[in-house]
Amino acid sequence: MLSTLFALTLMAAQAAPDLSEQDRSRAFAAAGFTQADGQWHSDCSDTGSASYVAGAIDLVDDLDGDGRPEAIITESSAQCYGAAGTAFALVSKQAGGQWSLLLRANGYATPLSSAAASGLPDIEVGGPGECFPVYRWDGHDYVVDRHRYDGRPCQP
């Protein structure tokens, strides 16, 4: 799971264009982050422990093929995000230039090759355990579509 996320992040970092500073700020704001002392923070109150890692844009890519980027923003903290230790927000740049939040969850985001009719990929949310939810875009929101483990259907 982590190696899949790492590989996707590495591919996106190599292939995706960098965001402008304005787009970075708008993406973080859409994800619910604010900037303090040069770092981006969500509503997580743990900013001083060894497990805390401030917000970072881990993936930038045009996930749905519409010519505009999507970004996965992460923040880590065992105190705030439990056993998974991390949370993410998936945001998308809209036609007017603003950014919107598509999905926010605790765990690791893995975009899958399966997708909704809109082209937005299904997102597996991993973490500890053996059966992970897969979210699908329904035209308005990402909703749980199914569960899987190691690529196979499972029951939570």
Side-chain angles (χ1 to χ4, degrees):
M1 170 62 92
L2 290 176
S3 62
T4 302
L5 179 63
F6 177 75
L8 286 169
T9 302
L10 181 60
M11 288 186 325
Q14 292 172 345
D18 288 332
L19 294 178
S20 69
E21 195 55 43
Q22 182 179 40
D23 275 333
R24 287 178 54 78
S25 294
R26 288 179 177 175
F28 273 110
F33 284 70
T34 56
Q35 193 173 36
D37 298 324
Q39 293 186 323
W40 290 94
H41 305 279
S42 72
D43 57 358
C44 175
S45 61
D46 171 25
T47 58
S49 77
S51 74
Y52 181 77
V53 178
I57 297 177
D58 284 349
L59 180 125
V60 176
D61 203 356
D62 180 5
L63 296 176
D64 59 0
D66 66 358
R68 296 182 305 271
E70 282 73 40
I72 294 178
I73 298 173
T74 60
E75 181 181 50
S76 299
S77 165
Q79 178 181 323
C80 293
Y81 305 119
T86 193
F88 73 90
L90 172 62
V91 295
S92 179
K93 187 172 183 178
Q94 304 302 298
Q98 74 278 15
W99 286 76
S100 64
L101 177 66
L102 302 180
L103 176 63
R104 185 174 178 152
N106 288 4
Y108 297 92
T110 302
L112 302 176
S113 59
S114 57
S118 69
L120 282 167
D122 293 345
I123 305 292
E124 181 178 87
V125 179
E130 296 184 358
C131 192
F132 306 119
V134 174
Y135 289 77
R136 175 166 280 183
W137 184 253
D138 71 0
H140 301 285
D141 297 296
Y142 265 99
V143 296
V144 176
D145 179 65
R146 62 191 183 279
H147 289 81
R148 67 182 222 153
Y149 180 70
D150 202 20
R152 291 178 286 234
C154 60
Q155 295 296 320

